[in-house]
Amino acid sequence: MEQPTTTTRRKEPRNKEEEGMTPTEEPKGDQALSEKDRGNFLLLVILYLLQGIPVGLSFGSIPFLLKSHMSYSQIAVFSLSSWPYSLKLIWSPIVDAVYTPKLGRRKSWIIPIQTLTGILFLWLGSRIDAIMNAEHVPIYYLTFLFLTTIFFCATQDIAVDGWALTLLSKESLSYASTAQTIGLNTGYFLSFTVFLALNSAEFSNKYLRSEPLDTGLVPLGAYMKFWGIMYFVVTAWLAFVTKENDVPSEDDQMGVRGVYETIIKICKLSNVRSFIAVLLVSKIGFICHETVTALKLLEKGFSKEDLALAVLLDFPLQVLFGYYAAKWSNGSRPLKPWLYAFFGRLVCSALGMLVVAGYPKDQEVGPIYFAIIMSSTVLSSFMSTVQFVSISAFMTSIADPVIGGTYMTLLNTFSNFGGTWPKFFVLEAVDYFTVSTCSVPDSLNQVLIVKLFILEFSCGSEDGKAQCKDLGGSCEITQDGYYYAGTMCVIVGLIMLIVYVRPVTKQLEVLSKRKWRLGEK
């Protein structure tokens, strides 16, 4: 999230006596949400929910729908569509500094961006089903379309993050990360698990219909059209009902160039550099688990409807976890929960590989194995939510509004990029380490045997699989690259945690907030 805009930089108390506390007192970690902030809190949840809709499609549902007829390398190409969300720092100063006073600093961007997103969703809604059902999905064209969508989403995020820290009062400021967690998770799960369930013919026939049909209850095109309309509804509400009280900012005097220069100065702070390095490497350990494990379960035969049901059951717990994680992160050591959850996510990554390896072969999934998957999903989600809220609360506490919302966007950009840049390479590694051969009946003639010998080296590609099937054979995995990539990620993550992340994090979280400011020593 971004930083709030104020007229001057707030002077940081030099000791606890200046803060009105005795040396032994600590900030309270159980501060309830102020009643006067509840309406604005709900507004933030709705805005973050809208942000989570395209994120859930791009990061979740589309890769799942593509996996049935695409390789991990091709899905790696589509994963590039999520990069604007991790590179928004590049244009965040423009969003923070350029606006029209008539609409307001944040609404000047939120209203047009949400309008464009609604138009794009309606346009895509009329075409996406044909694109996804094509014999050869135009992966680069599809990637470009969703890259544009995520670019709009990231721009909206910059504006909403900056508004979040001026909408809420000082005593409720820590709940900005809670609103983000609840809203983003809700939007994400609506577009990921809820949509996949309603889009699945098996789930719809099993749980929602009395008479089975060949299609799901909600096609992708209809889903996108619905949210296109919702974007227009919320945008109209913002334009005609919600008022924004602008707070003057130093950005007004600095200009866009000045903001970029200040970003460079912030990045030169030794503490910020150390923190950025931690953010860039901290997600390597569990990126394979969170990107590939669910896809592997589907590949093994786990049904989409059961996977959707597992995550649907997990969703209410996510909201609860986000609420309490905000409380745990409000003490004197806000990153303590983050470090504990780091260990937990590494454990979940190792357990995920065991869950996939233990998948029952040639038989239906029983209640015991389903319970194991459910437990693994809940535990992994819990650790992820604790880390997200904890790191967001810490960034909120250290970032002073020197340049409006851009300080927080700077930190969030590197946090997001830490989970984005490894994804492409992990997906490529899964295919690289996988050995798949074409198995055929012994009755095939010599010509086909020669052709299949050649195919043995390309069965990992989608064209190779199609040719193998046309020749009457089937591709069999003799070495699964998922376990190689997953094991390397966990080992590297554990080493990084013990040797670098943990000691550096403990040093950073006890520093005075003055150490994070420009011009402070």
Side-chain angles (χ1 to χ4, degrees):
M1 291 179 298
E2 296 177 15
Q3 199 65 10
T5 52
T6 58
T7 305
T8 58
R9 180 154 41 102
R10 186 178 65 253
K11 182 179 178 182
E12 191 68 29
R14 297 187 179 275
N15 51 50
K16 291 183 178 180
E17 284 84 352
E18 286 186 43
E19 291 179 302
M21 298 186 293
T22 65
T24 58
E25 286 180 323
E26 299 293 345
K28 292 183 179 180
D30 57 351
Q31 178 71 49
L33 178 65
S34 172
E35 184 175 351
K36 65 181 180 181
D37 289 316
R38 290 177 183 174
N40 289 335
F41 178 84
L42 178 60
L43 172 61
L44 287 176
V45 170
I46 293 173
L47 292 176
Y48 281 122
L49 184 151
L50 289 181
Q51 187 185 135
I53 296 300
V55 169
L57 290 175
S58 180
F59 288 48
S61 291
I62 302 300
F64 267 73
L65 296 175
L66 292 175
K67 184 62 194 82
S68 60
H69 48 278
M70 283 195 171
S71 66
Y72 286 102
S73 295
Q74 289 173 305
I75 295 177
V77 173
F78 182 79
S79 72
L80 298 176
S81 66
S82 65
W83 277 50
Y85 203 79
S86 301
L87 299 175
K88 58 188 177 181
L89 177 65
I90 296 173
W91 64 94
S92 65
I94 299 174
V95 176
D96 199 54
V98 178
Y99 69 99
T100 170
K102 186 175 181 180
L103 281 177
R105 178 180 295 273
R106 306 306 175 184
K107 288 170 61 176
S108 292
W109 287 92
I110 296 175
I111 290 175
I113 284 296
Q114 289 188 171
T115 301
L116 288 173
T117 306
I119 294 172
L120 182 58
F121 262 50
L122 289 176
W123 183 84
L124 267 174
S126 62
R127 292 166 174 80
I128 192 66
D129 290 327
I131 294 174
M132 295 293 292
N133 294 325
E135 183 178 355
H136 297 287
V137 177
I139 187 63
Y140 292 100
Y141 178 60
L142 188 66
T143 300
F144 171 76
L145 291 176
F146 276 90
L147 185 145
T148 303
T149 304
I150 297 302
F151 172 78
F152 290 157
C153 174
T155 305
Q156 190 248 27
D157 178 57
I158 297 168
V160 173
D161 284 348
W163 201 10
L165 300 183
T166 57
L167 274 174
L168 299 179
S169 61
K170 183 178 179 181
E171 60 267 24
S172 299
L173 196 56
S174 63
Y175 284 90
S177 61
T178 306
Q180 187 180 43
T181 301
I182 294 174
L184 271 175
N185 279 346
T186 301
Y188 184 89
F189 285 116
L190 285 174
S191 282
F192 185 18
T193 53
V194 174
F195 167 72
L196 281 182
L198 298 179
N199 182 255
S200 168
E202 293 82 2
F203 184 92
S204 300
N205 293 336
K206 187 175 182 179
Y207 297 107
L208 304 175
R209 289 178 176 145
S210 57
E211 296 183 5
L213 296 174
D214 295 333
T215 58
L217 201 62
V218 179
L220 179 57
Y223 181 81
M224 297 191 74
K225 288 178 182 178
F226 169 79
W227 282 108
I229 295 173
M230 292 306 298
Y231 267 98
F232 289 132
V233 171
V234 175
T235 303
W237 176 37
L238 286 177
F240 300 109
V241 178
T242 305
K243 293 183 179 180
E244 177 182 354
N245 296 320
D246 280 331
V247 180
S249 170
E250 290 183 3
D251 300 346
D252 297 332
Q253 287 74 44
M254 285 192 293
V256 175
R257 179 177 178 179
V259 174
Y260 280 111
E261 291 174 348
T262 306
I263 287 176
I264 295 174
K265 292 178 182 178
I266 292 173
C267 290
K268 289 181 178 179
L269 294 175
S270 60
N271 298 330
V272 174
R273 290 202 307 268
S274 297
F275 189 42
I276 287 173
V278 168
L279 295 175
L280 288 176
V281 301
S282 61
K283 297 179 183 179
I284 295 175
F286 23 86
I287 200 70
C288 183
H289 168 63
E290 297 180 359
T291 303
V292 184
T293 298
L295 296 176
K296 274 294 172 184
L297 287 173
L298 292 178
E299 190 178 290
K300 289 271 188 175
F302 194 62
S303 63
K304 289 182 182 179
E305 62 269 21
D306 286 340
L307 182 63
L309 180 62
V311 187
L312 279 174
L313 294 174
D314 169 61
F315 173 66
L317 298 176
Q318 284 271 7
V319 178
L320 185 65
F321 295 157
Y323 177 79
Y324 283 103
K327 290 178 174 289
W328 300 335
S329 302
N330 281 342
S332 59
R333 290 194 57 196
L335 290 180
K336 186 176 181 180
W338 186 82
L339 285 173
Y340 282 142
F342 198 122
F343 280 105
R345 290 179 83 175
L346 289 176
V347 171
C348 289
S349 298
L351 290 176
M353 288 185 283
L354 295 177
V355 170
V356 173
Y359 190 89
K361 190 175 182 180
D362 299 327
Q363 56 181 306
E364 292 186 2
V365 173
I368 295 178
Y369 186 78
F370 183 83
I372 292 174
I373 293 179
M374 183 64 200
S375 300
S376 174
T377 300
V378 170
L379 183 61
S380 180
S381 297
F382 171 70
M383 298 299 173
S384 178
T385 301
V386 169
Q387 275 210 309
F388 176 79
V389 176
S390 179
I391 201 74
S392 296
F394 177 70
M395 290 190 292
T396 300
S397 70
I398 64 174
D400 204 39
V402 179
I403 51 169
T406 306
Y407 200 129
M408 279 301 293
T409 299
L410 168 69
L411 300 179
N412 258 327
T413 294
F414 287 106
S415 179
N416 292 332
F417 195 59
T420 300
W421 74 262
K423 188 180 297 184
F424 176 85
F425 300 101
V426 167
L427 288 167
E428 289 283 357
V430 172
D431 268 355
Y432 178 81
F433 289 110
T434 296
V435 177
S436 181
T437 59
C438 189
S439 176
V440 297
D442 296 333
S443 58
L444 286 177
N445 61 41
Q446 193 67 28
V447 175
L448 289 181
I449 292 294
V450 173
K451 290 182 177 179
L452 291 171
F453 177 77
I454 298 174
L455 277 174
E456 182 174 321
F457 298 97
S458 61
C459 204
S461 68
E462 293 308 306
D463 289 339
K465 291 178 182 178
Q467 293 179 50
C468 181
K469 184 178 180 180
D470 291 341
L471 293 172
S474 61
C475 289
E476 295 182 357
I477 295 177
T478 57
Q479 176 180 294
D480 197 335
Y482 163 69
Y483 301 109
Y484 287 80
T487 300
M488 286 191 295
C489 283
V490 172
I491 292 174
V492 171
L494 183 60
I495 293 174
M496 292 295 299
L497 174 63
I498 296 173
V499 175
Y500 179 71
V501 173
R502 188 168 180 264
V504 171
T505 299
K506 285 190 171 183
Q507 292 176 3
L508 294 177
E509 70 176 349
V510 297
L511 293 175
S512 166
K513 293 180 177 61
R514 290 182 286 112
K515 298 290 185 180
W516 301 91
R517 315 296 191 229
L518 290 176
E520 297 281 1
K521 296 182 179 180

